[in-house]
Amino acid sequence: MNPNPIAIQRLHSQQLTASVRTSASDVVRWMGAMQAQDYDMAKWGIGVRLPGSTEAQIEAALNRGDIVRTHILRPTWHFVAADDIYWMLDLTAPHVKRALAGYLRRQELDEPVLQKSGSIIEHALDGQQYLTREEIRTLLQQAGVPTNDLRSANIMFWAELNGLVCNGPRRGKVQTYGLLRERVPVVKRLDRDEALGELATRYFTSHGPASLRDFVWWSGLGVTDARKAIQLAGAALASRTIGDIVYWMSPESLDKQSLAGQLIHFLPAFDEFMVSYTDRSASIDLNHARQAMTGNGIFWPIIVLDGQVIGVWKRAVKPKHVQLEHSFFTAQSEDLIRHIQEHSTPYSAYWQLPVRFK
């Protein structure tokens, strides 16, 4: 196996070739969790894996609470299927809390202040009273809890990690918060070993072929726990050694190293196809990596041809059309550019608007 087949297998695993997912929550459940700090782009990350879906349908699933947006795995936003949120928080919140602890100390957010803040927030949101961060910040300020600098953001971060709050329905273009126990009343929990095995199975099945280092990065787990998780996954995973790297994947994906025809994707910023691996050389010429991602962790929307990143794109949603602009790493033929533009149809269908290229 060479890097190109690895990328092709990942296309199959990530449901970017012939997706069999039936709903937005099914996509997120399959992926385990999907990085989601860029909200609109992250919704397209679901949509591109759910053929025939629209932006309105993905938004509705989030507003209903089928999908939860919260801080989990690593210290950043993720989408998680509602029925996975409790066991995944139980498993991953402790190490995210350790990463948060230094910020809390520097901002003098000790346990009494946090508990007071949590009580204020819980009372304010009780009974499905959804509020924006600014509205919560005002309530905290009125109760004598200073919210200057990043204090309010880190209070909400703490509240998410403790299973108190998660996203509520959007109010226009503004995110609201709701109580997690009200948004997801059915609590599914796993013991720690079950959760470790389940997380490894989800990751390598949906992202494989991937290495131990990739899993450590994606999950936020320590190396010891990550190794144990792979062992606990057992027969759900298969491995293949390429050079000196062991790659894990589902047994069913071992032979998925080809495509039926040329495949083009307009993938969103921070898409799992790029962000969920430490070694991205299977999918991008590292000479062009800084054109697709910055040194401080910003991942741009990418154009992918047969598993290889060949350029980046921008979009602007207008009242009557979606405007797209692309930039390629190297010169491309007019025929290929025209072919790539013709494959923007799924994005047009997703927004239910015609696409125009700038």
Side-chain angles (χ1 to χ4, degrees):
M1 185 187 294
N2 58 48
N4 189 52
I6 290 175
I8 291 170
Q9 278 190 264
R10 288 175 178 172
L11 287 176
H12 290 302
S13 298
Q14 292 217 9
Q15 301 296 284
L16 290 168
T17 52
S19 174
V20 295
R21 301 304 112 196
T22 58
S23 67
S25 59
D26 188 27
V27 169
V28 178
R29 188 178 298 107
W30 171 261
M31 298 297 291
M34 301 176 72
Q35 193 161 324
Q37 70 267 50
D38 188 324
Y39 182 76
D40 285 329
M41 280 286 177
K43 286 190 295 181
W44 171 235
I46 299 173
V48 74
R49 293 168 170 85
L50 186 64
S53 63
T54 66
E55 186 272 341
Q57 290 169 344
I58 308 300
E59 182 77 19
L62 282 152
N63 286 338
R64 285 194 305 268
D66 299 348
I67 301 164
V68 176
R69 182 174 182 253
T70 191
H71 283 82
I72 206 166
L73 297 183
R74 307 182 300 280
T76 190
W77 294 100
H78 281 82
F79 288 149
V80 184
D83 51 6
D84 290 327
I85 184 61
Y86 289 107
W87 69 261
M88 206 173 287
L89 264 179
D90 289 344
L91 179 62
T92 68
H95 63 247
V96 183
K97 285 180 182 179
R98 288 193 290 273
L100 178 64
Y103 294 97
L104 298 179
R105 284 193 299 272
R106 285 193 289 275
Q107 293 168 356
E108 298 181 343
L109 289 169
D110 58 17
E111 195 61 23
V113 172
L114 291 169
Q115 291 297 334
K116 177 181 178 179
S117 301
S119 296
I120 294 166
I121 293 166
E122 184 169 19
H123 178 75
L125 299 180
D126 190 49
Q128 299 182 337
Q129 299 299 309
Y130 302 113
L131 297 175
T132 67
R133 178 178 289 180
E134 183 61 24
E135 290 168 337
I136 293 171
R137 188 195 68 79
T138 299
L139 289 173
L140 291 171
Q141 193 77 27
Q142 290 171 347
V145 179
T147 57
N148 53 301
D149 301 325
L150 294 175
R151 283 171 63 96
S152 63
N154 282 312
I155 288 169
M156 299 312 297
F157 194 167
W158 171 88
E160 289 175 330
L161 293 174
N162 282 275
L164 179 61
V165 302
C166 65
N167 69 298
R170 293 265 281 189
R171 190 190 301 165
K173 293 186 177 182
V174 181
Q175 183 78 59
T176 69
Y177 286 91
L179 293 179
L180 180 60
R181 60 175 167 78
E182 292 183 343
R183 296 287 280 167
V184 188
V186 179
V187 179
K188 175 185 174 183
R189 286 202 150 94
L190 305 175
D191 69 37
R192 196 166 193 279
D193 280 1
E194 288 176 319
L196 283 169
E198 183 65 21
L199 194 67
T201 300
R202 296 284 188 94
Y203 174 72
F204 288 107
T205 299
S206 61
H207 293 72
S211 68
L212 171 68
R213 287 184 66 238
D214 294 327
F215 181 49
V216 167
W217 156 247
W218 180 86
S219 67
L221 295 171
V223 174
T224 300
D225 275 342
R227 282 203 181 98
K228 183 178 181 182
I230 293 172
Q231 292 172 348
L232 289 167
L237 302 180
S239 65
R240 180 169 289 172
T241 301
I242 306 160
D244 59 353
I245 300 175
V246 178
Y247 288 89
W248 297 88
M249 65 212 82
S250 70
E252 292 77 15
S253 71
L254 280 169
D255 298 319
K256 291 183 177 178
Q257 299 176 29
S258 61
L259 296 171
Q262 198 170 51
L263 207 59
I264 295 163
H265 291 97
F266 287 80
L267 296 183
F270 299 99
D271 191 72
E272 291 289 306
F273 186 68
M274 288 296 289
V275 78
S276 58
Y277 309 98
T278 55
D279 180 359
R280 304 177 179 103
S281 59
S283 298
I284 188 169
D285 182 335
L286 296 182
N287 291 318
H288 302 303
R290 285 300 176 92
Q291 294 168 264
M293 63 198 85
T294 67
N296 60 349
I298 302 299
F299 287 72
W300 303 117
I302 51 175
I303 301 169
V304 180
L305 173 64
D306 292 341
Q308 301 302 301
V309 182
I310 63 169
V312 295
W313 60 284
K314 299 177 182 178
R315 69 103 173 91
V317 180
K318 307 287 187 179
K320 294 186 178 180
H321 72 278
V322 179
Q323 181 176 292
L324 296 185
E325 182 178 354
H326 49 55
S327 174
F328 298 103
F329 302 152
T330 59
Q332 305 294 335
S333 70
E334 289 299 321
D335 285 346
L336 179 58
I337 292 173
R338 187 163 47 250
H339 186 53
I340 288 169
Q341 292 179 348
E342 289 169 354
H343 278 73
S344 66
T345 304
Y347 200 59
S348 173
Y350 171 78
W351 282 106
Q352 300 204 302
L353 290 169
V355 166
R356 296 180 188 171
F357 283 86
K358 184 175 179 181

